[in-house]
Amino acid sequence: MLRSKIAGIGYYVPERVVSNHDLAKVMDTTDEWVQERTGIVERRYVERGKDTTSTLGAKAARIAIERAGITPQDVDFIIFATLSPDYYFPGSGVLLQRQLGIPGIGALDIRNQCSGFVYGLSIADQFVKTGMYKNVLLVGAEVHSIGLDYTTRGRNVTVIFGDGAGAVVIQPTEEDKGILSTHLHADGEHAEHLAYINPGSHGGVHSKTPEQFGYPDQEFGGMFLTDKMLEDEDVYPNMNGKYVFKFAVSRFPEVIMEALKTNGMQPGDINMLVPHQANLRIAQFVQNMLGLSDDQVYNNIHKYGNTTAASIPIALCEAWEAGKIKDGDIVCLAAFGSGFTWGSALIKW
Ligand code: COA
């Protein structure tokens, strides 16, 4: 049976390093608080006016394409995962396509937040193993730094997120390797607990407690973004941290076990688990629950923070570059995030 494999992988992070100490200069936080609760020491921010989500994605994509031994012209489909697109519309996939100079092929944007890369991998896998495409370019990229609240009010969210991009090229293979299975889940019941709701078409309709978001008396007059939203500075991501944490620590192990069970494996069979880099405490919790050793789990959140759709491909690429993932290894990817959405992929490298 035809399978799909990761034939090339690359990542790119902006040069500008922003430490916890830097953030403590503009908001009431400390390096100690952030490190203790999240494991994050620093993150990268783009230089505004120089890079965007799609330009970061293009830089990572060029590396992945070269490592796959192909040229951009060989790519026959693009999947772009991000929650921070260059434009509200069109999606960043077509902007990436323009930068790579490959007009005409399909470009699909997906919005599955921290699970975006795993969702994208599953989509690419289906296209490739049915024989429809031969070189799918999957990119996860984010520019968070431009949309965060740098006052103390936004500190619980702002300290967590960073910018970056990762990319893979997915090709068919007849060898005994590649993507073994993918597992996708979602539960929209929790949508507003980790969300960036303005601008949007919601008009206050979905929220059970509209007051919480400050728009019950709004005139919505056909605008995504109203003056009141701007006046109230109601234009930042919001997160119910404890609530997210609680769900993450149960969904991660569940979806990893689902992948293992599907393939008749146990946690001990995993050579490398690459969890979405949401919070070091979550990753450690998952590691302990599954009884995995330190060298079975790759974490790099201390350097980059949470880069959402980019976090898994960046970590996967770093682990591979460091020689921690070798041919034939069983690699498990697992993600959880806004939606809530969660998923996993089991790969024989
Ligand atoms: N610096 C200093 N203090 C902060 C802070 C910051 N950056 N952010 C929040 N605080 C304060 C709070 O205001 C609160 O103060 P109070 O007790 O005076 O009210 C206190 O710290 C505790 O806040 P709380 O939100 O309960 O902390 P927590 O232990 O839950 O840690 C998170 C907060 C965000 C680190 C944690 O909930 C978390 O990581 N959740 C998961 C988030 C996640 O993974 N999101 C991405 C999913 S893909």
Side-chain angles (χ1 to χ4, degrees), residues 125-145:
D125 183 36
Q126 311 313 311
F127 277 134
V128 168
K129 69 186 181 195
T130 55
M132 185 159 171
Y133 295 122
K134 292 195 164 46
N135 288 297
V136 176
L137 173 63
L138 166 63
V139 175
E142 305 287 356
V143 171
H144 286 297
S145 59

Side-chain angles (χ1 to χ4, degrees), residues 29 33 37 114 155-156 159 239 241-242 276 278-279 282 336:
T29 191
W33 192 97
R37 307 284 175 121
C114 299
R155 64 184 175 174
N156 67 323
V159 298
M239 177 176 75
K242 281 206 191 319
H276 162 56
N279 180 323
I282 294 176
F336 176 87

